[in-house]
Amino acid sequence: MLHAEWTKFRTTPGMIWLLLIAIAATVTVSVLAISTADCPQRDCGVSATLTGVRVGQAVIAIVAVLVIGDEYRTGMIRTTLVAMPRRTGMLAAKVAVVSAVLTVASATAVLGSFVAGLHLLPGRDLPALSLTEGEVIRAFGGSILYLTMIGLLGVGVTVVLRSPAAAIGSVLGLLYVFPIVAAAVPDQDWERRLQQIGPMDAGLAIQRTGDLTDLPVQPWHGLGVVALWAVAALLTAAVLLHRRDA
């Protein structure tokens, strides 16, 4: 199953290009953010260096959706389920392939952003990055995990909706609408609650290395919120995959 899913992934038109775009977009936006950062605190340098994750996650989500969305769009999912009648096994194999590929792509994007920060921050008289500090390691490593889990969320939502267009809209809505609504809500308690449950606001708390007491949710707890979104989507997908016709 793993070999079959890997073959489908690497032979899907445009998939490799989308991964390269995700990496390039993440690094490029991070470079632009570093170039305009003007605060001397170390936390500012880390945040600026990881700004590109907010853009790269959109492309990562699209890649994950298309991994299985194209099969629903073309009707190839019927052939897949005939060849692999163990539906849970098929979904697990797809999740394994997506996890592996997106982890590598996310690590490349985050590492590229780190290298950019390593070279550009000192030139702007901002604190240099150092992987000897636990908080910095947590920020960069957590960003990789965050991007991978956004991809898994995309897979789950696509199986539930069975439409790549609807799935892309739904996942991007979950990521970007929560912060917009939270910012527009006049009540601070509700704003904080929305930030605690929204996958992007909660998940990207992992990038913060200073003033953690001011966060609506603590870094690892925030990453746990994203994991819950991804697990809920995948469990729902597994149940519906069994109960519905292809």
Side-chain angles (χ1 to χ4, degrees), residues 146-173:
Y146 170 80
L147 288 172
T148 302
M149 287 190 289
I150 291 301
L152 297 182
L153 173 62
V155 172
V157 170
T158 307
V159 175
V160 171
L161 298 180
R162 299 195 290 187
S163 164
I168 290 172
S170 298
V171 176
L172 295 185

Side-chain angles (χ1 to χ4, degrees), residues 10-184:
R10 65 183 177 82
T11 55
T12 299
M15 198 65 74
I16 301 301
W17 283 108
L18 281 173
L19 289 173
L20 292 176
I21 289 171
I23 295 168
T26 302
V27 176
T28 301
V29 173
S30 294
V31 168
L32 293 174
I34 295 168
S35 301
T36 57
D38 59 1
C39 58
Q41 293 85 3
R42 183 195 62 183
D43 182 58
C44 176
V46 173
S47 297
T49 304
L50 290 170
T51 299
V53 170
R54 295 176 176 270
V55 176
Q57 66 179 346
V59 188
I60 290 291
I62 291 171
V63 170
V65 167
L66 293 181
V67 166
I68 191 166
D70 269 357
E71 292 189 58
Y72 279 107
R73 181 179 59 82
T74 61
M76 185 62 69
I77 188 67
R78 298 184 183 88
T79 304
T80 296
L81 294 179
V82 169
M84 294 182 285
R86 292 174 54 194
R87 298 187 175 195
T88 304
M90 182 274 291
L91 181 60
K94 198 172 289 289
V95 166
V97 169
V98 170
S99 298
V101 172
L102 293 188
T103 298
V104 172
S106 300
T108 304
V110 171
L111 180 61
S113 298
F114 174 79
V115 171
L118 201 64
H119 287 84
L120 296 177
L121 289 174
R124 294 186 49 77
D125 295 324
L126 294 172
L129 299 174
S130 173
L131 286 182
T132 61
E133 300 177 53
E135 288 183 338
V136 175
I137 294 174
R138 186 247 298 152
F140 282 87
S143 295
I144 296 171
L145 293 175
Y146 170 80
L147 288 172
T148 302
M149 287 190 289
I150 291 301
L152 297 182
L153 173 62
V155 172
V157 170
T158 307
V159 175
V160 171
L161 298 180
R162 299 195 290 187
S163 164
I168 290 172
S170 298
V171 176
L172 295 185
L174 283 174
L175 292 177
Y176 296 108
V177 171
F178 264 103
I180 295 172
V181 174

